[in-house]
Amino acid sequence: MQFPTTIPPKEQPSELPVPKLEIRNLTKVFGQGKQRITAVDDVSLSLAPNEFSCIVGPSGCGKSTLLSIAAGLSKATSGKILVDGAPVPGPGADRGMVFQNYTLFPWLSVAENVAFGLRLKGMAKAELNRRVAHYLDIVGLSGSAKAYPKALSGGMKQRVAIARALANDPEVLLMDEPFGALDSQTKEQLQSFFHDLWAKSHITVLMITHDVEEAIFLSQRVHIMDKTGQLHETITIDLPTHRELDMKLTREFLDYKRHIVHALR
Amino acid sequence: MAASQIPHSSDNRSPEDRPPEDRREPALDRRYLRPSVFWSIRQGFPGWLQVTLVAVSLAIPILIWASLSYGQFVDARFLPTPSAVIVRGFSMLLEGDLIVDIFASSARVIAGFSFAALVGIPVGLAMGTFYSMDSLLGGFVRTARYLPIAAFVPLIIIWAGIDEASKIIIIFLGIVFYNATMIADAVKFIPNETLNVAYTLGATRWDVVRRVILPATLPSILDTLRVNIAGAWNFLVLSELIAAENGLGFTIVRSQRYLQTDRAMFCILVICMIGLATDFAFKLLFRLWLPWADSKMS
């Protein structure tokens, strides 16, 4: 079976509408001389508005470095990050981020965590409360609004982190293995939940994962990185837009999985 | 008493309590961790044993003191009996001078401690937060921590006189550098992701300092102050030993001149009690003010 495959350098961004997020010829080199390691090697990729893409790759392939640079949290050795066609020099509220761990502020209640970015913007109290309530409702945690993070389970914490990122209304949501630390049941629940959320809201998402099924299930395109830090292949996932967990057992899904697993070897 | 239980603590259930298939003696096998109550490491500790051990640790020094003094092994002028110290204490309280001393000493400690907090907390936060401030202030602060403040006392008296100012300066200098370095270290323990997520929510550097670094380090700040107030009392006594007209340290020195060991010992007990009370107050404040934090204090 053949998949529509695009090799990044051949991609012509000019033919497409202005991408929401564009990573252009990004290279990141750590160290000098003999210790010189190229973590990300000339990677270019772009996300159309409302697109959900995943980057998969073996551990240590530089995918987290790539995302951290996209968020503006570390500097690239060379290359550019563009949001809506304009280069961005540092981190900002336009690129929300969900990390794998440790990121709820323990001194704030669940509701205050979700309100963090809104408060920074100086949003009026009534509007802020409405928004926080709305997003807590979406992630199903209205009942825990006043709880402190230490009282929550891992899955609940990650739902709060997602609500906090979404409430801030970012142009692009960047996610670094957001479900990686969760047990498999909670993980699948959150995948399904997040897919529905994306289908409703149509935000633009770039997510990193080492879980191939997760990548196929959630994405419209899957970018495969290899150990050398290069973008190996981009696969368009031609599955119905509405997806349920059972889809993971279908023939087409497994064909995609087989292809990606082989590519990763 | 408690220690004698160690060899028997390998299984604290009697054979009858175990289900029948389990009624063999467990093999003393080196492959498995042997259970222990007394030497438990983060695996829980029974309340009764905790209370017993605390009581033992407090009772032993008191018992030694009591047997040496009541048994007249030591001259009562050198080591008064516990009851004599307490009787003397009550009469000191009734005379009224002791109350003056307590207030005078507490005021000095509060002044020196407050200045040390007022300077030490922002300096520590700045050092922990910014590389630039760490280089600019850290070199001096970390070096100054090793200056023997006691050796500076004569100089401080030359520079600041023998009034309240010199005593407050001694207490201030004694703890301000510890405040700063301990708080700087606490800032460095904040995970990078915690700061990064704030940036991706639109925070400026100032927002991060005010809304992330400050609240994240509050538990450590409170803990640092709690630990260092003990140091403040040490330096208070030091400052009052040299030159003072009142205060607990001053009374201790004067008692030495007249060989009134009971007076001196009661003053030491008073300082100890004040220390325990402030320690407790800090713990209470921690629990009420920072309910979100896991208390590291024991």
Side-chain angles (χ1 to χ4, degrees), chain B residues 147-161:
Chain B
L147 291 176
I149 297 303
F152 270 89
V153 169
L155 282 175
I156 291 168
I157 287 170
I158 292 172
W159 293 330

Side-chain angles (χ1 to χ4, degrees), chain B residues 8-298:
Chain B
H8 308 296
S9 64
S10 59
D11 192 339
N12 48 18
R13 291 187 301 173
S14 62
E16 294 87 317
D17 290 339
R18 288 181 225 140
E21 72 274 14
D22 197 25
R23 216 165 263 173
R24 313 170 265 127
E25 279 306 311
L28 285 178
D29 195 322
R30 288 197 162 271
R31 281 180 301 173
Y32 305 115
L33 180 68
R34 287 167 61 186
S36 172
V37 175
F38 191 86
W39 298 110
S40 165
I41 303 173
R42 295 181 201 188
Q43 291 180 319
F45 200 60
W48 64 267
L49 187 53
Q50 191 185 352
V51 172
T52 312
L53 293 179
V54 169
V56 166
S57 78
L58 293 176
I60 287 175
I62 294 174
L63 275 174
I64 293 174
W65 176 19
S67 50
L68 284 177
S69 55
Y70 288 122
Q72 295 178 341
F73 295 106
V74 182
D75 192 320
R77 279 177 300 174
F78 297 129
L79 190 69
T81 60
S83 52
V85 169
I86 288 165
V87 168
R88 170 65 73 189
F90 273 108
S91 68
M92 285 165 81
L93 280 168
L94 292 175
E95 286 159 23
D97 284 355
L98 188 62
I99 302 292
V100 175
D101 289 334
I102 291 173
F103 274 103
S105 290
S106 299
R108 286 165 193 150
V109 167
I110 289 168
F113 177 77
S114 304
F115 283 125
L118 229 56
V119 175
I121 294 171
V123 167
L125 287 174
M127 276 166 56
T129 303
F130 303 105
Y131 297 114
S132 58
M133 291 297 119
D134 197 38
S135 312
L136 195 64
L137 304 168
F140 171 71
V141 168
R142 281 180 237 276
T143 310
R145 208 158 56 126
Y146 293 102
L147 291 176
I149 297 303
F152 270 89
V153 169
L155 282 175
I156 291 168
I157 287 170
I158 292 172
W159 293 330
I162 55 165
D163 296 335
E164 294 304 309
S166 62
K167 298 177 187 65
I168 293 167
I169 290 171
I170 290 167
I171 297 168
F172 169 81
L173 288 178
I175 58 176
V176 68
F177 303 115
Y178 285 90
N179 278 349
T181 43
M182 287 164 79
I183 290 165
D185 288 344
V187 175
K188 290 174 186 171
F189 272 106
I190 303 173
N192 286 339
E193 286 93 338
T194 306
L195 305 186
N196 283 341
V197 81
Y199 290 127
T200 64
L201 290 166
T204 62
R205 282 192 188 82
W206 172 235
D207 288 328
V208 165
V209 171
R210 199 165 52 113
R211 292 172 188 265
V212 180
I213 291 176
L214 184 61
T217 41
L218 265 185
S220 304
I221 290 176
L222 221 53
D223 223 6
T224 300
L225 296 181
R226 183 181 68 98
V227 169
N228 287 345
I229 201 162
W233 280 97
N234 261 322
F235 289 107
L236 168 93
V237 174
L238 182 72
S239 74
E240 290 183 347
L241 288 178
I242 313 290
E245 283 147 18
N246 52 27
L248 293 165
F250 163 75
T251 306
I252 292 169
V253 180
R254 204 183 41 181
S255 307
Q256 176 214 7
R257 207 170 300 152
Y258 302 108
L259 213 64
Q260 294 165 319
T261 43
D262 48 356
R263 275 176 174 272
M265 288 181 74
F266 192 74
C267 289
I268 293 169
L269 282 181
V270 168
I271 293 175
C272 179
M273 291 300 145
I274 295 173
L276 280 178
T278 43
D279 202 74
F280 180 76
F282 267 108
K283 284 176 185 168
L284 196 67
L285 181 67
F286 189 102
R287 221 178 312 146
L288 296 178
W289 190 30
L290 307 171
W292 56 269
D294 291 317
S295 176
K296 288 171 286 180
M297 302 178 181
S298 57

Side-chain angles (χ1 to χ4, degrees), chain A residues 92 95 102 105-107 150 164 168, chain B residues 194 197 201 211 215-216 291-292:
Chain A
R95 282 148 297 144
Y102 298 122
F105 303 120
W107 57 92
K150 72 171 178 182
R164 178 176 62 183
N168 216 27
Chain B
T194 306
V197 81
L201 290 166
R211 292 172 188 265
W292 56 269

